Every structure is written in structure tokens, then in C-alpha cells.
């Protein structure tokens, strides 16, 4: 870990993340009585990787693939104007979301503002029958009335801490950490590829 000196605690290791995703896949199927009509859309940059893992687990359980997309919310954020150079990624939703049960997937749920932006962005693609929210970590401190339908783990944290997911695919290792906010930094997702 490149920031090992700053980490206060490791809340989930790679095995715990996998077990949580397996449980969440079963919960999604149970809540929706199977995979029929279900699609997964992950918020980039780590929500889309989690959505891909969930889609794989659902396919293993049900024997059928589910539509999978990724959503960039950069231009929908309410703090867009305060970030002079937002990191823009691609959105890829190559299926019709009208009438589908769309499970929106992200890594850490905090204030709810990212999810609000994702809902706005998603509605530009059509009108789903229902939108559900799957979150690996709920850290609390909501500023908007948003709640996850499927949660991997609730991790209480203070306002001066970062709760971050690292994934082997882009960071070289997988875990969820809590660390103090460094002076001059803000709360947010871990940069792609580490600090």
C-alpha cells in the first residue's frame, strides 16, 4: 500500500469484499425474484468494477447474464463548478433501461450527493421501472435523503476521515481503509492507481 503510513485501519480485506459481493448478489436476486429485467450500472471508477463483479456472481448463480453498464457523473455533480479540471471518464450503457430494474452500484455511500448526480445522469438514458442502490460501504453522514437497498458493510466514520475502497484491478491490492484526511486534501474516492 502506497499510503500505508496514513491508514488508521483496514475495515475489509479482499476476502471480506468478495463475501460481501456474493451476499449482495443473492440479495439482489431475492429482492427481484431472479434476474429477469434486472440491469446493473456502476458509477465509475470503482462502482463500475464492483458492478462487473456483481454481474458475474449473478450469472454464476442464475445461469443468465444481466445487462451491465457504467456511468460517469462528472458533469452532473453539484460541485462541478468548483472543480476546474474534473476527471472525466466514459459512460457506456448500451442497452435500453426503459422498464428495467436498474441496480445502481457504487463503492462508498457518504453524503448522498454522488448518488443524486447518478440518478440525474441515469434518467437521461430513459425511464427504468425501478432504481435500486447497491453500495459496498455505507459510512453514514448523509446530507440528502438517500438510502441503499443493498449494503456490503456499514462502517461508522468521523467527518475528518476518508473511507476508501482499493481494488486489485486498478490499485494492485483490494481492501477498504479508514484514514485521516491529509491537510489540504478533501474527502473523496481514492485516486486511480493509488495516491
Amino acid at each position: 500500500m502506497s499510503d500505508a503510513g496514513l491508514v488508521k485501519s483496514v475495515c475489509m480485506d479482499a476476502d471480506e469484499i468478495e463475501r460481501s459481493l456474493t451476499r449482495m448478489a443473492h440479495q439482489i436476486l431475492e429482492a427481484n425474484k431472479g434476474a429477469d429485467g434486472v440491469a446493473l450500472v456502476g458509477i465509475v471508477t470503482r462502482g463500475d468494477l464492483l458492478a462487473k463483479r456483481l454481474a458475474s456472481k449473478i450469472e454464476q448463480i442464475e445461469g443468465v447474464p444481466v445487462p451491465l453498464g457504467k456511468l460517469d457523473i462528472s458533469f452532473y455533480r453539484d460541485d462541478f463548478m468548483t472543480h476546474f479540471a474534473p476527471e472525466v471518464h466514459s459512460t457506456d450503457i448500451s442497452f435500453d433501461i426503459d422498464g428495467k430494474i436498474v441496480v445502481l452500484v457504487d463503492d462508498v455511500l457518504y453524503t448522498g450527493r454522488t448518488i443524486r448526480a447518478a440518478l440525474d445522469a441515469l434518467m437521461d438514458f430513459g425511464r427504468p421501472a425501478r432504481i435500486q442502490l447497491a453500495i459496498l460501504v455505507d459510512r453514514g453522514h448523509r446530507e440528502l435523503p438517500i438510502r441503499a437497498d443493498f449494503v456490503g458493510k456499514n462502517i461508522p466514520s468521523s467527518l475528518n476521515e476518508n473511507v476508501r475502497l482499493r481494488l486489485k484491478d486498478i490499485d494492485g491490492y483490494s481492501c477498504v481503509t479508514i484514514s485521516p484526511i491529509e491537510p489540504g486534501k478533501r474527502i473523496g474516492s481514492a485516486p486511480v492507481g493509488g495516491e
Side-chain angles (χ1 to χ4, degrees):
M1 287 184 222
S2 61
D3 59 347
L6 302 174
V7 172
K8 178 177 167 184
S9 66
V10 175
C11 307
M12 296 175 81
D13 62 20
D15 291 338
E16 289 174 291
I17 291 169
E18 280 307 306
R19 282 192 298 273
S20 291
L21 290 173
T22 299
R23 179 175 39 79
M24 291 168 69
H26 281 283
Q27 290 173 336
I28 289 167
L29 291 169
E30 184 177 340
N32 294 299
K33 296 176 177 45
D36 190 39
V38 173
L40 300 178
V41 175
I43 301 171
V44 294
T45 58
R46 287 174 179 79
D48 61 326
L49 297 173
L50 293 174
K52 188 175 179 181
R53 287 187 186 181
L54 281 170
S56 174
K57 288 178 184 298
I58 288 171
E59 185 172 357
Q60 288 172 5
I61 297 164
E62 288 288 294
V64 294
V66 292
L68 175 64
K70 64 180 183 174
L71 184 66
D72 177 39
I73 61 158
S74 299
F75 296 114
Y76 290 86
R77 295 182 58 92
D78 59 9
D79 61 354
F80 168 69
M81 297 306 288
T82 62
H83 290 84
F84 297 109
E87 190 173 336
V88 179
H89 302 277
S90 65
T91 290
D92 179 14
I93 300 176
S94 57
F95 54 89
D96 185 5
I97 69 168
D98 287 345
K100 287 220 178 343
I101 299 166
V102 175
V103 180
L104 195 59
V105 182
D106 203 12
D107 54 353
V108 179
L109 179 56
Y110 179 38
T111 63
R113 293 180 182 277
T114 295
I115 303 308
R116 189 228 28 102
L119 291 170
D120 287 349
L122 192 60
M123 295 311 259
D124 282 350
F125 285 88
R127 190 172 191 274
R130 191 171 358 161
I131 300 173
Q132 298 171 334
L133 180 59
I135 297 290
L136 182 65
V137 174
D138 186 341
R139 66 169 290 182
H141 304 290
R142 217 74 76 239
E143 294 175 1
L144 299 175
I146 290 176
R147 157 192 79 70
D149 299 284
F150 313 104
V151 178
K153 188 170 184 175
N154 289 292
I155 298 177
S157 62
S158 79
L159 289 170
N160 61 355
E161 293 175 323
N162 258 326
V163 177
R164 290 182 165 173
L165 168 66
R166 311 299 178 143
L167 288 174
K168 186 173 176 111
D169 313 54
I170 55 177
D171 300 304
Y173 57 97
S174 295
C175 65
V176 175
T177 61
I178 294 181
S179 55
I181 299 173
E182 298 176 62
K185 301 271 181 154
R186 65 183 192 92
I187 288 181
S189 296
V192 175
E195 303 300 323

